Amino acid sequence: MDILKPKLVWVDGRCYRQFPVRKSEVEREEEEKFIQPMKPQMRRDEDYEDKDLPVKHQGDKFFIVITIPKDLIKFVVGGKAATKKQIEESTSTDLNIPRPKDIKDNDEADITITGKGVNSVARAYHRIENIIEDVRWRVMEYTHFISIPMNDENIAAKYVNFKNDVLRTCRGSRGISENIFLNPAELHLTIVMLTLLTKREKEEAAAMLKQTKTHILQLLDEKPLTIEIKGVEYMNDEPEEVRILYGKVQENKNNWWR
């Protein structure tokens, strides 16, 4: 932004100059913690002696099969097979990775890890596991989300009032039009975002959701969960490039379960 030509904002008939706000590193870190979802922890330390892994033994070789989404094979192989070679050399194992054309009718791929010891095979297994989790977090887009419908008539009415206020007071502002607002019938409270890349992952997620229903009802003591939605927040760090604006959920501690 040109500091000599700042953005102009009109509020209640008054014109204000909007300058970029310089935030301290602490403020920026705190904001990122709030905006970004929690990064999942890697499931295993690569040197962890996992005795539960189904490592099999044949002759003087040990082997195990790890199943991954087909679309993620390229991240295990790497450019010019560099990642595959690095895993094999650092763990003293061999990776048998199917070619995409050999599994074109499947959405998963089985990678066979072979080595001369259980520990080396386990290290390679966890290395691949960590790569898949990291790629799922950093690279792949969300495919599904779990939500609670918020299409109650009172909520919908207040939402429509908010929309009308924005359209009236911000008319003429860049990007402001009626088509940016969600249909009131589609209002929802997002609980979690998911990246499910295979049919099996989708089925497992659906089964887990059904299994947790009883547990959630027990936590709530079969009473309604009371929350407060107050204020709005945006999903990225640049206010001028906002794509999604959402209502901020405030925890009502007096009605939260213990």
Side-chain angles (χ1 to χ4, degrees):
M1 177 185 293
D2 186 348
I3 195 170
L4 298 178
K5 297 180 180 180
K7 181 180 178 181
L8 301 180
V9 180
W10 289 86
V11 179
D12 294 333
R14 296 191 177 190
C15 183
Y16 296 86
R17 289 175 293 179
Q18 179 179 327
F19 293 98
V21 178
R22 294 185 179 181
K23 298 180 179 180
S24 67
E25 288 300 317
V26 173
E27 289 175 323
R28 192 177 301 278
E29 289 176 3
E30 289 300 316
E31 184 180 71
E32 290 177 352
K33 287 179 183 178
F34 177 81
I35 295 174
Q36 299 295 336
M38 182 178 294
K39 183 177 181 179
Q41 297 295 319
M42 296 304 182
R43 281 186 276 176
R44 296 289 188 184
D45 180 353
E46 292 172 7
D47 294 325
Y48 174 73
E49 294 184 8
D50 192 347
K51 297 180 180 180
D52 295 328
L53 281 180
V55 178
K56 297 181 180 180
H57 180 237
Q58 185 174 14
D60 61 345
K61 300 288 187 180
F62 292 86
F63 68 93
I64 190 173
V65 175
I66 180 171
T67 302
I68 69 171
K70 181 176 69 174
D71 292 341
L72 304 188
I73 290 178
K74 59 185 178 182
F75 297 101
V76 177
V77 175
K80 297 183 179 180
T83 303
K84 175 179 179 291
K85 292 177 182 177
Q86 195 277 333
I87 295 173
E88 291 176 327
E89 292 174 0
S90 63
T91 61
S92 299
T93 59
D94 292 316
L95 305 183
N96 183 6
I97 303 177
R99 295 175 298 179
K101 67 178 183 179
D102 295 333
I103 51 173
K104 60 182 180 179
D105 295 329
N106 299 321
D107 59 8
E108 293 184 319
D110 290 337
I111 298 177
T112 302
I113 306 169
T114 305
K116 294 184 177 181
V118 175
N119 289 341
S120 61
V121 169
R123 287 202 309 275
Y125 184 97
H126 293 317
R127 181 78 57 83
I128 295 173
E129 217 177 22
N130 289 344
I131 290 173
I132 298 304
E133 289 303 309
D134 189 52
V135 169
R136 191 187 296 269
W137 163 258
R138 292 190 302 104
V139 180
M140 308 305 291
E141 295 184 355
Y142 292 119
T143 60
H144 298 74
F145 65 91
I146 298 174
S147 65
I148 298 175
M150 299 284 284
N151 50 8
D152 175 82
E153 291 183 1
N154 292 330
I155 295 176
K158 292 181 179 180
Y159 170 75
V160 171
N161 289 338
F162 167 75
K163 181 184 77 170
N164 292 335
D165 287 342
V166 172
L167 292 175
R168 182 178 63 257
T169 59
C170 300
R171 187 174 302 278
S173 298
R174 181 171 69 95
I176 298 298
S177 64
E178 188 166 359
N179 61 10
I180 69 172
F181 291 90
L182 193 68
N183 186 323
E186 299 176 354
L187 291 174
H188 60 272
L189 174 63
T190 301
I191 304 301
V192 64
M193 304 291 290
L194 303 169
T195 302
L196 306 176
L197 303 175
T198 67
K199 179 181 178 181
R200 180 175 60 85
E201 290 181 350
K202 297 171 187 176
E203 292 175 345
E204 290 177 351
M208 185 175 296
L209 183 59
K210 291 180 180 179
Q211 292 174 3
T212 57
K213 178 180 178 180
T214 302
H215 183 58
I216 292 173
L217 291 176
Q218 290 176 347
L219 287 174
L220 293 173
D221 195 21
E222 299 189 3
K223 296 178 182 178
L225 173 63
T226 302
I227 61 172
E228 179 183 9
I229 300 177
K230 184 177 181 181
V232 292
E233 186 59 84
Y234 50 87
M235 280 195 175
N236 61 321
D237 295 331
E238 296 294 335
E240 295 181 355
E241 301 299 329
V242 169
R243 294 181 57 194
I244 299 177
L245 196 68
Y246 61 93
K248 295 171 64 175
V249 176
Q250 308 290 329
E251 178 182 329
N252 189 329
K253 296 183 179 179
N254 293 328
N255 292 280
W256 196 256
W257 67 76
R258 289 180 172 81

